[in-house]
Amino acid sequence: MRLVVDLNRCQGYAQCAFLAPDVFAMHGEESLLYDPQADDSRRDEIARAVAACPVQAIFAEGLDGTDGTPASAQEATREQ
């Protein structure tokens, strides 16, 4: 699974680091570190982290196992 975090959008709320600590970690108070090639065994944790991001800065390709569209983009499309 491929992860991308828009670090310009990220505000350092650290919800992702709390929900998926093996994938996301805060470095200092504002800098986020993450594994861009997260293991598929972390799928549930990553899904919770994507959903919990208050600024929708996390994009996970292949999270739902369909066409590779980032999960946050698919959810935005469903809401319309």
Side-chain angles (χ1 to χ4, degrees), residues 12-53:
Y13 291 107
Q15 294 301 307
C16 57
F18 175 73
L19 294 167
D22 292 334
V23 179
F24 303 95
M26 294 302 293
H27 180 69
E29 293 184 24
E30 297 182 9
S31 181
L32 178 69
L33 301 175
Y34 68 98
D35 179 1
Q37 295 295 326
D39 190 82
D40 281 344
S41 67
R42 303 284 182 216
R43 183 175 301 275
D44 291 339
E45 294 172 18
I46 293 168
R48 286 190 287 271
V50 168
C53 181

Side-chain angles (χ1 to χ4, degrees), residues 66-78:
T66 59
D67 64 358
T69 303
S72 58
Q74 289 178 358
E75 289 180 20
T77 302
R78 282 186 217 132

